[in-house]
């Protein structure tokens, strides 16, 4: 029996392979994701290990509150002396490693997209982890080195001038060395190194270190030295062995990459979910077509269990083949994904692609699991074929659907989904958890719709097929009848497409809602005309730029906003500080309790708190709260007033004075600048003037954007993300199109006789092709229309709780129509092969076919 | 070669019949649409005999055969095979019964296109996970005249050859009863003759019991006994004399 299964599979190898395609894509994404993240993680492990060559113990400052840019606090250089005094220390040196900007002499960034740029200090030879393929270490205060990849990217070589920005103005340096760290690539990250005092000055960390590296005397273990040093340094410092430090850094990066893994796996799950519909359909059709064969096997004494087993083993083998091919494709996909990430400016470091056993095992389990589970229902249906089916002359293929059970399951699922959605809406849960609950409800409803779908196919085909019938006459009519004749088959095929399109419609609507919400925030909160930010919103905003802008002709007010992440009574929140003099000219606060005078008169030690945070903490005006800084210091603040905060509040969840920010949180750099022009000043001219003035004063990394450009920039970021999501959802759509192809081919095979008859009575090959094509289009359009409807409805439902967060939906009708048309075209493409196959049938053979 | 066969002695006719049906009724549909496909049929089949079932179209031949073979359940009445009531067996026991006691030959040969002729013949054994008795298998294949076609696929065989494969497949398990529903319905007269000779041979040489539904007087003439149905009732039961004689009989029935 087992060999029979293999032979059957082999005889239907094309069908089986196409079925396997249903899992190949999903598995490829699973495997690709793992390969990509494993490769990245491995690269980071190596980078951190390489960079600590020669180092035994590392001293850094603890970070009590994680900052958005991932920076850690620096600490007093005095600690070095104490460290050097510890018994067993052979050598110790402080160093700087701080985010900044690296530019060529024309002030163009050397950087790769969104990846950060760092300014580092050089130190004693013993701690030098880098090699110099060209040039040498900086030997004077005007010399710098650059990592090989960045130099290659920017086309820089020894002797060229580069400009570095730590905090403040750009400073020119002569490039004297190209560095390489082990064999690792940093991805898009760039690192420039200068002498220690230079680095301290550049980054405004005079008398400070980001890190102290320690080498141990021989015979002293890193662990022992660590413990000794820990005894003499202040409590807020962390002392680790080099290994511990490398592991911690690597694992922090891994944690932050986790979201990428989860997001990619979510798309893999979608593709597999769609694939399971295709598999289900192929197995259902195959089982129906093999009714007589199963009946015959039963008359020969095959038990139900044997029949079940043959079908399940087929599923298992198809799943296995799909998973293996998926792993192979996934390996290539990982390379492709990292190319895509590089293209959108998020290049990840990579050495050689990592294929861990875990990747293979997980892929195999999922691939086989999904296929076998999807074939379960058809497999059980095959066991219900009675032996007498072998003798039946006219086989009713398809068999009885368990209408009652199906309806009950569908109703229960739909009810569950609706309850989930409704309770989320009624309980007024807003933000993430509400949306998650509604999303879960949506999945239930989606499956329920798929179960109900056969009932909807007939009316849907009638409505959507009407224009085609008009267009195509008899062939159109037959196409529609064919689409309708096996409603559950068409329904499952269309449902697979529906899922992908529902998601596409959903994210399209959401992204457009996000764009318009951002625009609204810009309109509502920024009364000024111009916004200043670090280049691309990626490079840090230089200190000292705001006063320069203030003095430009035509500028009425320019005000910087600084940010820090702090704990407010234990709850992490983004806190901003503003310049009280001008802030109300450039930033509009909606007050809950208080007025603009609370902002202009903001004193040190006072906090303007966001309403949401105030509610969470249960504090009101006059209460006092404790703010914890990154270094773990605690400060008392008095709530002076309460502002309304939308989901995107440009002032974070609290505002403190500029002084408090500098003194208590050591934040002296602005994150953005807001500018209001003199009434009557010409926008274009003033904007150009600001740009030129900033360049002239060595602030080349400031983007000067008017409101329109700011909106466009935000929109293009959202659209970049959207494009990436489209690409990933396209996988699911391709899987469902493969579903259309397979289903059509199987249906044609089933209708061989009928097609022969049609040809015998005079239908031309062209007409046959057209008939098949129309059927594909009808199926695709049913899927597309239902998908778009489902997507719109869900976007609407999920938008309700989010509207409390200032999110408003907008419906990009044009885009949705384009999607609909593209799907219909995809249907035509899906029909190419089946149509040709149908048209090629030999009339005589088709008629005499048994 | 016949001499080597361990066949039950034909002359030693057993007391109890191998298949026995009592008071069989089969009603399709309800009320207005009610059809009495079988209307009180009592019939017995003895071991080692070749019985043909005839009758006009719609008289209930197929229905009777299905019920005798346990493929369908009667509305009333019972069927016993080798003394066991099969009308109340569950699916598992019926499966076992088919493996041990029943063989089938269909009008549409129902071979698996993916298997070779020999593999098709061995299929019932591999389903039951029984080791084939190679000597017997060779004999059966030889008997059906397909020794040089063992490795051919059904698509490479003529209709007559395909049906001979089907007969070999039914014989290979040495079933207590072999059921055939219009086995020659799709064959020309030469191929029909081959198949019928085979069935006859199995009865004569190894004492196989055969029950065959047919429309063709020539085919029926190969049997030891001819029973005829009309409107679901048994109307004739006698040895066939000749084909002409059968045609006469059919005329009276029609
Ligand atoms: N599944 C069914 N549902 C309803 N009526 C049926 C069914 N199967 C058979 N019948 C009816 O039962 C009667 C006997 O049918 P049966 O197939 O046994 O006839 P038959 O003698 O084999 O005919 P033929 O020589 O044409 O094969 C016929 O009237 C037929 O219409
Ligand atoms: Mg019949």
């Amino acid at each position: 029996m087992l060999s029979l299964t293999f032979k059957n599979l082999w005889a239907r190898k094309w069908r089986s392979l196409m079925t396997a395609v249903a899992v190949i894509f999903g598995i490829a994404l699973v495997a690709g994701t793992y390969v990509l993240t494993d490769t990245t993680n491995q690269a980071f492990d190596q980078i951190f290990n390489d960079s600590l060559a020669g180092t035994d113990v590392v001293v850094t400052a603890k970070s009590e509150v994680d900052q958005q840019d991932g920076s850690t606090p620096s600490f007093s250089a005095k600690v070095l002396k104490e460290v050097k005094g510890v018994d067993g220390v052979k050598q110790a040196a402080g160093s700087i490693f701080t985010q900044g900007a690296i530019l060529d002499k024309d002030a163009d960034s050397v950087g790769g997209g969104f990846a950060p740029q760092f300014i580092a200090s050089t130190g004693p030879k013993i701690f030098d982890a880098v090699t110099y393929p060209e040039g040498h270490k900086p030997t004077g205060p005007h010399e710098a080195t650059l990592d090989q990849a960045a130099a290659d990217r920017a086309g820089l070589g020894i002797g060229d001038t580069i400009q570095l920005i730590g905090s403040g103005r750009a400073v020119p340096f002569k490039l004297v060395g190209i560095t390489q760290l082990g064999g690792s690539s940093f991805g898009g990250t760039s690192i420039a190194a200068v002498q220690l005092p230079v680095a301290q000055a550049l980054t405004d960390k005079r008398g400070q270190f980001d890190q102290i590296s320690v080498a141990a005397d021989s015979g002293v273990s890193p662990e022992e030295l660590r413990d000794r040093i820990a005894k003499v340094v202040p409590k807020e410092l962390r002392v680790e062995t080099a290994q511990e430090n490398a592991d911690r850094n690597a694992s922090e990066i891994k944690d932050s990459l986790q979201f990428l893994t989860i997001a990619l796996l979510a798309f893999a799950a979608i593709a597999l979910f769609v694939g399971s519909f295709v598999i289900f359909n192929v197995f259902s059709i195959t089982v129906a077509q093999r009714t007589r064969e199963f009946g015959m096997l039963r008359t020969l004494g095959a038990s139900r269990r044997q029949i079940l087993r043959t079908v399940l083993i087929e599923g298992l083998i198809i799943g296995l083949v799909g998973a293996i091919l998926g792993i192979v494709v996934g390996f290539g996909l990982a390379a492709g994904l990292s190319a895509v990430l590089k293209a959108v400016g998020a290049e990840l470091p990579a050495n050689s692609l990592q294929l861990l056993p875990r990747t293979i095992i997980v892929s195999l389990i999922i691939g086989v699991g999904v296929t076998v589970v999807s074939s379960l229902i058809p497999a059980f249906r095959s066991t219900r074929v009675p032996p007498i089916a072998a003798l039946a002359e006219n086989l009713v293929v398809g068999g009885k659907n368990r209408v009652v059970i199906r309806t009950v399951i569908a109703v229960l699922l739909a009810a569950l989904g609706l309850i989930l959605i409704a309770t989320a809406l009624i309980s007024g849960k807003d933000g993430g958890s509400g949306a998650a609950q509604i999303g879960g409800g949506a999945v239930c409803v989606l499956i329920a719709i798929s179960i109900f779908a056969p009932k909807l196919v007939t009316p849907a085909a009638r409505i959507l097929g009407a224009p085609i019938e008009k267009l195509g006459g008899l062939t159109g009519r037959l196409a529609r009848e064919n689409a309708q004749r096996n409603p559950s088959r068409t329904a499952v095929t269309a449902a697979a497409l529906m899922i992908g399109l529902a998601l596409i419609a959903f994210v399209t609507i959401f992204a457009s809602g996000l764009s318009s919400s951002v625009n609204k925030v810009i309109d509502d909160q920024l009364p000024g005309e111009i916004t200043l930010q670090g280049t691309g919103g990626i490079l840090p905003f230089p200190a000292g730029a705001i006063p320069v802008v203030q003095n430009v002709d035509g500028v009425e007010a320019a005000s910087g906003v600084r940010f820090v992440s702090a704990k407010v009574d234990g709850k992490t929140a983004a806190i901003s500080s503003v310049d009280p003099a001008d802030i109300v000219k450039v930033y509009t606060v909606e007050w809950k309790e208080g007025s603009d005078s609370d902002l202009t008169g903001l004193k040190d030690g006072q906090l303007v708190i966001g309403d949401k945070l105030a509610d969470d903490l249960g504090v009101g005006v006059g209460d006092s709260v404790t703010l914890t800084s990154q270094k773990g210091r605690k400060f008392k603040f008095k709530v002076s007033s309460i502002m309304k905060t939308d989901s995107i509040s440009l002032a974070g969840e609290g505002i403190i004075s500029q002084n408090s920010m500098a003194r208590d949180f050591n934040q002296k750099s602005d994150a953005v600048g807001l500018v209001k022009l003199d009434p009557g000043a010409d926008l274009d001219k003033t904007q150009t003037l600001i740009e030129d003035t900033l360049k002239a004063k060595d602030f080349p990394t400031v983007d000067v954007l008017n409101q329109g450009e700011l909106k466009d920039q935000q929109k293009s970021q959202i659209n970049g993300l959207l494009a990436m999501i489209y690409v990933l959802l396209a996988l699911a759509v391709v899987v469902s199109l493969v579903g259309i192809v397979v289903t059509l081919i199987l249906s044609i095979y089933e209708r061989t006789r009928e097609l022969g008859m049609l040809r015998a009575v005079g239908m031309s090959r062209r007409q046959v092709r057209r008939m098949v094509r129309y059927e594909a289009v009808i199926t695709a359009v049913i899927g597309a229309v239902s998908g778009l409807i489902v997507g719109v409805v869900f976007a609407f439902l999920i938008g309700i709780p989010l509207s409390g967060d200032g999110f408003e939906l907008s419906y990009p009708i044009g885009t949705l129509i384009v999607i609909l048309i593209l799907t219909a075209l995809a249907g035509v493409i899906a029909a190419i092969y089946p149509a040709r196959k149908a048209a090629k049938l030999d009339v005589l053979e088709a008629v005499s076919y048994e | 070669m016949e001499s080597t066969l361990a066949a039950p002695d034909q002359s030693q006719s057993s007391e109890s019949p191998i298949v026995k049906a009592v008071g069989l009724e089969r009603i399709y549909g309800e009320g207005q649409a009610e059809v009495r496909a079988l209307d009180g049929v009592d019939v017995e089949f003895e071991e080692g005999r070749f019985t043909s079932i005839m009758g006009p179209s719609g008289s209930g031949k197929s229905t009777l055969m299905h019920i005798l073979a346990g493929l369908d359940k009667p509305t009333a009445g019972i069927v016993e095979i080798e003394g066991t009531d099969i009308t109340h067996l569950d699916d598992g026991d019926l499966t076992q019964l088919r493996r041990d006691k029943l063989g089938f030959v269909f009008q549409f040969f129902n071979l698996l296109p993916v298997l070779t002729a020999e593999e098709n013949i061995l299929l019932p054994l591999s389903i039951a996970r029984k080791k084939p008795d190679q000597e017997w298998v060779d004999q059966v294949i030889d008997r059906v005249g397909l020794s040089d076609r063992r490795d051919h696929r059904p698509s490479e065989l003529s209709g007559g050859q395909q049906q001979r494969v089907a007969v070999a497949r039914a014989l290979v398990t040495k079933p207590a009863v072999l059921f055939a529903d219009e086995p020659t319905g799709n064959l020309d007269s030469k191929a029909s003759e081959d198949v019928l000779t085979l069935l006859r041979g199995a009865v004569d040489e190894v004492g196989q019991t055969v029950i065959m539904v047919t429309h063709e007087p020539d085919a029926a003439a190969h049997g030891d006994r001819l029973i005829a149905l009309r409107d679901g009732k048994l109307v004739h039961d006698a040895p066939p004399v000749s084909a002409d004689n059968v045609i006469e009989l059919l005329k009276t029935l029609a």
Side-chain angles (χ1 to χ4, degrees):
Chain A
M1 279 297 268
L2 190 64
S3 71
L4 175 62
T5 307
F6 279 111
K7 283 184 178 133
N8 266 318
L9 265 175
W10 185 248
R12 286 190 293 269
K13 52 186 170 297
W14 292 114
R15 177 190 302 197
S16 306
L17 206 61
M18 286 188 104
T19 317
V21 169
V23 285
I24 288 175
F25 283 88
I27 294 301
L29 197 49
V30 171
T33 302
Y34 280 129
V35 169
L36 182 71
T37 51
D38 290 341
T39 302
T40 308
N41 287 342
Q42 190 271 346
F44 275 118
D45 279 342
Q46 195 174 339
I47 288 170
F48 289 118
N49 278 318
D50 286 351
S51 64
L52 288 174
T55 306
D56 292 308
V57 174
V58 176
V59 181
T60 49
K62 289 176 191 161
S63 177
E64 201 66 36
V65 189
D66 289 337
Q67 299 299 302
Q68 282 182 343
D69 62 1
S71 65
T72 54
S74 55
F75 54 92
S76 168
K78 286 181 189 136
V79 178
L80 182 59
K81 215 174 192 172
E82 286 146 35
V83 172
K84 278 185 167 163
V86 173
D87 196 28
V89 171
K90 181 171 158 201
Q91 195 161 6
S95 59
I96 293 290
F97 193 79
T98 298
Q99 261 198 52
I102 307 171
L103 315 171
D104 65 16
K105 69 173 190 306
D106 301 325
D108 289 329
S109 164
V110 302
F114 295 109
Q117 302 179 356
F118 290 97
I119 293 179
S121 63
T122 54
K125 195 159 181 44
I126 186 168
F127 300 123
D128 221 352
V130 296
T131 55
Y132 297 88
E134 280 178 71
H136 55 82
K137 234 172 161 166
T139 52
H142 304 294
E143 295 182 353
T145 61
L146 184 61
D147 73 274
Q148 176 99 57
D152 291 347
R153 247 193 322 263
L156 291 167
I158 304 289
D160 286 342
T161 300
I162 60 170
Q163 305 189 60
L164 301 182
I165 302 174
S167 85
R169 289 168 204 262
V171 181
F173 287 86
K174 187 174 164 215
L175 195 55
V176 298
I178 303 294
T179 59
Q180 205 157 34
L181 180 69
S184 330
S185 125
F186 299 143
T189 303
S190 320
I191 301 174
V194 293
Q195 289 184 327
L196 178 63
V198 181
Q200 285 171 317
L202 263 179
T203 57
D204 198 18
K205 289 181 175 173
R206 289 178 192 80
Q208 306 257 302
F209 293 140
D210 286 329
Q211 176 176 321
I212 291 174
S213 307
V214 184
D217 280 330
S218 58
V220 182
S221 75
E223 289 74 19
E224 204 180 326
L225 192 60
R226 172 196 62 197
D227 295 343
R228 287 186 205 165
I229 294 172
K231 285 199 191 93
V232 305
V233 300
K235 281 248 161 0
E236 63 256 32
L237 297 188
R238 177 194 274 125
V239 186
E240 296 162 302
T241 65
Q243 192 59 53
E244 287 168 348
N245 181 266
D247 291 348
R248 184 172 55 81
N249 281 325
S251 83
E252 275 170 14
I253 293 229
K254 280 175 204 171
D255 285 350
S256 61
L257 280 175
Q258 194 75 30
F259 94 96
L260 180 69
T261 314
I262 291 171
L264 289 175
L265 289 181
F267 285 104
I270 292 166
L272 287 168
F273 184 54
V274 170
S276 70
F277 278 66
V278 175
I279 297 167
F280 170 82
N281 223 14
V282 174
F283 272 86
S284 297
I285 299 170
T286 309
V287 163
Q289 289 176 350
R290 292 168 70 188
T291 303
R292 190 198 293 265
E293 177 190 330
F294 288 137
M296 189 272 290
L297 288 171
R298 293 299 314 277
T299 61
L300 296 184
S303 64
R304 287 193 168 158
R305 213 185 311 161
Q306 280 174 311
I307 301 286
L308 180 71
R309 212 180 299 145
T310 36
V311 179
L312 285 184
I313 287 174
E314 278 191 31
L316 192 119
I317 293 168
I318 289 176
L320 204 62
V321 170
I324 291 169
L325 292 176
I327 293 170
V328 174
V329 175
F331 203 72
L333 193 68
L337 271 176
S338 62
V340 169
L341 285 172
K342 188 172 174 179
V344 301
E347 189 186 356
L348 293 170
N351 297 328
S352 55
L353 289 181
Q354 301 285 310
L355 184 61
L356 303 187
R358 184 263 277 110
T359 308
I360 297 174
I361 293 167
V362 170
S363 302
L364 289 180
I365 290 176
I366 294 179
V368 172
V370 166
T371 317
V372 170
V373 168
S374 313
S375 64
L376 224 47
I377 293 176
F380 274 106
R381 206 176 287 157
S382 74
T383 67
R384 294 205 299 268
V385 172
I388 199 163
L391 296 137
E393 278 149 42
N394 283 312
L395 286 177
V396 188
V397 278
K400 279 189 207 104
N401 290 320
R402 309 203 144 173
V403 182
V404 179
I405 297 178
R406 282 170 72 117
T407 313
V408 168
I409 292 175
V411 169
L412 285 179
L413 265 175
L416 176 70
L418 291 176
I419 288 170
L420 278 174
I421 294 173
T423 52
L425 294 179
I426 292 166
S427 73
K429 260 194 223 169
D430 44 23
S433 67
Q437 191 174 338
I438 294 175
V443 171
C444 293
V445 175
L446 220 53
I447 297 179
I449 293 174
S450 317
I451 300 175
F452 269 133
K455 299 254 173 303
L456 306 175
V457 160
T458 310
R462 196 161 297 146
I463 296 167
L464 299 170
I468 285 185
E469 225 175 303
K470 272 231 169 67
L471 196 82
L474 178 68
T475 47
R477 189 192 141 88
L478 285 175
R480 174 172 70 71
E481 295 287 353
N482 283 339
Q484 253 167 267
R485 106 158 66 168
N486 218 318
S488 57
R489 191 180 291 183
T490 308
V492 176
T493 314
L497 193 59
M498 172 188 81
I499 296 168
L501 277 152
L503 288 164
I504 286 179
F506 181 80
V507 296
T508 306
I509 293 168
F510 234 74
S512 116
L514 202 56
S515 285
S516 61
S517 305
V518 168
N519 288 350
K520 188 170 179 300
V521 167
I522 292 173
D523 288 338
D524 289 354
Q525 298 186 16
L526 300 181
E529 292 83 0
I530 285 180
T531 302
L532 309 172
Q533 61 169 23
T535 306
I538 297 146
L539 296 182
F541 190 85
I546 297 288
V548 169
V549 176
Q550 274 166 347
N551 291 326
V552 172
D553 271 353
V555 171
E556 183 190 338
S559 192
V561 182
R562 298 174 186 182
F563 276 100
V564 75
S565 295
K567 279 186 185 154
V568 181
D569 279 357
K571 209 169 180 306
T572 303
I575 301 295
S576 65
S577 71
V578 296
D579 178 3
D582 285 331
I583 185 64
V584 295
K585 290 186 186 151
V586 294
Y587 183 64
T588 307
V589 174
E590 234 189 292
W591 293 102
K592 192 168 176 203
E593 254 187 277
S595 67
D596 284 356
S597 62
D598 287 305
L599 207 52
T600 48
L602 190 64
K603 296 192 188 66
D604 300 351
Q606 282 190 334
L607 171 70
V608 177
I609 196 168
D611 53 355
K612 226 163 258 150
L613 184 60
D615 285 351
D616 282 354
L617 299 175
V619 298
V621 173
D623 290 344
S624 92
V625 293
T626 306
L627 267 61
T628 311
S629 73
Q630 188 185 16
K631 284 189 168 179
R633 304 221 175 95
K634 293 189 187 334
F635 306 95
K636 281 248 177 287
F637 278 79
K638 201 171 191 130
V639 175
S640 69
S641 49
I642 301 177
M643 61 176 173
K644 287 193 179 156
T645 45
D646 281 329
S647 59
I648 319 164
S649 159
L650 293 178
E653 296 179 80
I655 307 178
I656 57 176
S657 74
Q658 217 68 302
N659 255 335
S660 298
M661 184 62 102
R663 200 182 56 209
D664 301 343
F665 296 94
N666 200 30
Q667 177 62 278
K668 294 166 204 153
S669 317
D670 298 311
V672 290
L674 307 174
V675 179
K676 179 151 183 69
L677 304 188
D678 282 329
D682 183 87
L683 175 61
D684 285 350
K685 272 190 198 143
T686 317
Q687 191 181 355
T688 318
L689 194 57
I690 295 174
E691 275 166 10
D692 294 345
T693 312
L694 283 170
K695 285 238 166 67
K697 302 261 174 166
D698 291 329
F699 291 110
T701 56
V702 179
D703 280 346
V704 182
L705 306 172
N706 63 37
Q707 305 288 47
E709 290 166 342
L710 182 63
K711 286 176 188 170
D712 286 348
Q713 192 206 35
Q714 298 296 320
K715 191 173 174 175
S716 79
Q717 275 177 17
I718 292 168
N719 286 347
L721 191 65
L722 188 63
M724 186 114 175
I725 294 177
Y726 278 159
V727 169
L728 291 166
L729 283 179
L731 280 181
V733 173
V734 169
V735 169
S736 53
L737 290 177
V738 169
I740 294 185
V741 177
V742 187
T743 310
L744 278 178
I745 292 178
L746 297 184
S747 301
I748 287 163
Y749 169 78
E750 212 169 80
R751 296 177 205 146
T752 303
R753 244 191 224 201
E754 184 181 312
L755 284 167
M757 184 274 292
L758 287 171
R759 296 271 288 114
V761 299
M763 195 181 245
S764 71
R765 284 185 199 278
R766 258 185 76 176
Q767 282 172 313
V768 170
R769 273 202 297 273
R770 202 181 303 153
M771 184 175 76
V772 174
R773 203 177 307 134
Y774 286 155
E775 186 181 346
V777 171
I778 290 174
T779 310
V781 169
I782 291 178
V785 168
S786 53
L788 292 182
I789 292 174
V790 170
V792 168
V793 170
F794 282 141
F796 172 75
L797 290 178
I798 294 183
I800 294 175
L802 292 178
S803 66
D805 290 346
F807 183 82
E808 38 173 63
L809 283 178
S810 71
Y811 299 90
I813 308 287
T815 316
L816 296 181
I817 290 174
V818 170
I819 291 173
L820 184 64
I821 293 170
L822 286 179
T823 314
L825 285 178
V828 173
I829 294 170
I832 291 175
Y833 179 67
R836 207 179 302 153
K837 219 173 150 74
K840 260 201 282 195
L841 280 179
D842 182 72
V843 182
L844 187 67
E845 212 174 294
V847 175
S848 56
Y849 178 89
E850 200 271 301
Chain B
M1 68 167 177
E2 294 92 77
S3 57
T4 60
L5 297 178
D9 191 347
Q10 194 194 337
S11 58
Q12 191 191 332
S13 164
S14 50
E15 314 284 278
S16 55
I18 197 157
V19 179
K20 178 176 169 190
V22 185
L24 285 187
E25 280 181 26
R26 180 65 169 96
I27 301 171
Y28 289 114
E30 270 171 54
Q32 288 282 338
E34 185 181 290
V35 177
R36 287 186 163 261
L38 289 181
D39 193 6
V41 173
D42 299 281
V43 64
E44 296 184 355
F45 300 90
E46 268 134 44
E47 193 175 348
R49 299 249 281 162
F50 186 164
T51 309
S52 306
I53 303 176
M54 296 196 78
S57 184
S59 58
K61 306 181 293 293
S62 295
T63 306
L64 174 62
M65 208 197 77
H66 296 163
I67 290 174
L68 291 177
L71 296 173
D72 193 7
K73 303 253 183 224
T75 313
I78 57 160
V79 174
E80 283 178 9
I81 292 181
E82 289 191 331
T84 321
D85 176 3
I86 66 158
T87 45
H88 296 102
L89 292 183
D90 65 14
D91 184 75
D93 291 333
L94 276 174
T95 300
Q96 205 54 48
L97 179 83
R98 280 183 216 114
R99 287 182 184 179
D100 298 342
K101 306 220 152 86
L102 308 181
F104 291 91
V105 177
F106 309 100
Q107 177 179 355
F108 302 107
F109 327 120
N110 268 342
L111 301 180
L112 290 186
V114 296
L115 299 184
T116 63
E118 179 166 6
E119 286 168 334
N120 263 298
I121 292 169
L122 293 175
L123 190 59
L125 294 172
S126 58
I127 286 174
R129 291 191 203 84
K130 285 180 187 151
K131 253 190 106 73
D133 169 355
Q134 197 55 46
E135 207 178 317
W136 171 240
V137 172
D138 290 342
Q139 264 185 48
V140 169
I141 293 176
D142 200 30
R143 182 191 291 271
V144 299
L146 290 168
S147 300
D148 54 347
R149 290 277 191 279
R150 282 171 183 254
D151 296 328
H152 286 57
R153 304 268 165 140
S155 56
E156 298 157 349
L157 298 174
S158 71
Q161 287 167 331
Q162 289 187 48
Q163 193 63 310
R164 280 187 270 150
V165 172
V167 172
R169 181 178 68 186
L171 290 175
V172 80
T173 56
K174 304 183 187 166
V177 194
L178 191 160
F179 291 98
D181 194 355
E182 302 189 34
T184 57
N186 262 343
L187 301 177
D188 65 15
S189 54
K190 167 72 175 64
S192 296
E193 188 58 32
D194 288 348
V195 168
L196 291 165
T197 311
L198 272 175
L199 292 175
R200 182 72 249 173
V203 174
D204 293 341
E205 288 151 22
V206 295
Q208 182 65 57
T209 310
V210 174
I211 300 174
M212 173 180 77
V213 170
T214 184
H215 272 298
E216 292 151 51
D218 283 336
H222 283 77
D224 304 313
R225 176 187 177 198
L226 170 65
I227 63 178
L229 291 176
R230 193 170 67 186
D231 297 335
K233 291 196 172 73
L234 199 67
V235 291
H236 176 93
D237 187 351
V241 184
S242 70
D244 293 341
N245 167 291
V246 174
I247 293 167
E248 283 306 310
L249 168 72
L250 287 179
K251 279 188 184 149
T252 65
L253 288 175

